[in-house]
Each structure stands twice: as C-alpha cells, then as structure tokens.
Amino acid sequence: MASNKKVKRATSEESLGMKLLQSVREMKARSFARITEVTPNEVVLARQGTGLSQAEFAAALSIS
C-alpha cells in the first residue's frame, strides 16, 4: 500500500511540474490568459504628479 502512495505522489508531482513548465513556456511566449488594466483614480494621479511616494504624500496631507 505504501508504494501505491509513493506512485500517486510522484505522478502528482510530475503533473504539477509539467503544468509549471507549460506556464513558464506561455509566459516566455507572452501568451496570457487574461490582462488586467487598472485605471488610476484622481488621488493616485495627484500623488504621481507630485513625484512623492505614497508615504510622503500621506505625511504631506497629515493622514498617516
């Protein structure tokens, strides 16, 4: 019975390895399943316009 578990684990690990390898190949080929685009809100745009980090911007506004 113990050898059966080892075979199952090896098969599972091999399957995971093959999936990971396929994922790496897809990333290298720039073949994405989905692309997420985030539109920055007005606060983010204001902060980026100042050139300050998030922490610096929060400190300047006395909110953190």
Side-chain angles (χ1 to χ4, degrees), residues 3 7 18 27 29 36 54 56:
S3 65
V7 170
M18 293 304 294
M27 285 187 289
T36 304
Q54 286 182 338
E56 293 168 333

Side-chain angles (χ1 to χ4, degrees), residues 11-30:
T11 303
S12 176
E13 290 172 357
E14 289 172 6
S15 176
L16 177 60
M18 293 304 294
K19 288 178 182 178
L20 289 171
L21 184 57
Q22 181 62 32
S23 293
V24 170
R25 287 181 178 140
E26 290 173 4
M27 285 187 289
K28 285 185 173 182
R30 311 245 342 129

Side-chain angles (χ1 to χ4, degrees), residues 1-13:
M1 195 61 119
S3 65
N4 209 10
K5 286 184 180 180
K6 286 182 182 177
V7 170
K8 230 179 215 184
R9 180 189 285 170
T11 303
S12 176
E13 290 172 357

Side-chain angles (χ1 to χ4, degrees), residues 26-62:
E26 290 173 4
M27 285 187 289
K28 285 185 173 182
R30 311 245 342 129
S31 174
F32 305 114
R34 66 176 179 256
I35 296 174
T36 304
E37 292 185 28
V38 178
T39 305
N41 63 34
E42 58 192 40
V43 176
V44 173
L45 293 173
R47 181 187 62 79
Q48 289 175 339
T50 66
L52 297 174
S53 70
Q54 286 182 338
E56 293 168 333
F57 190 71
L61 296 176
S62 301

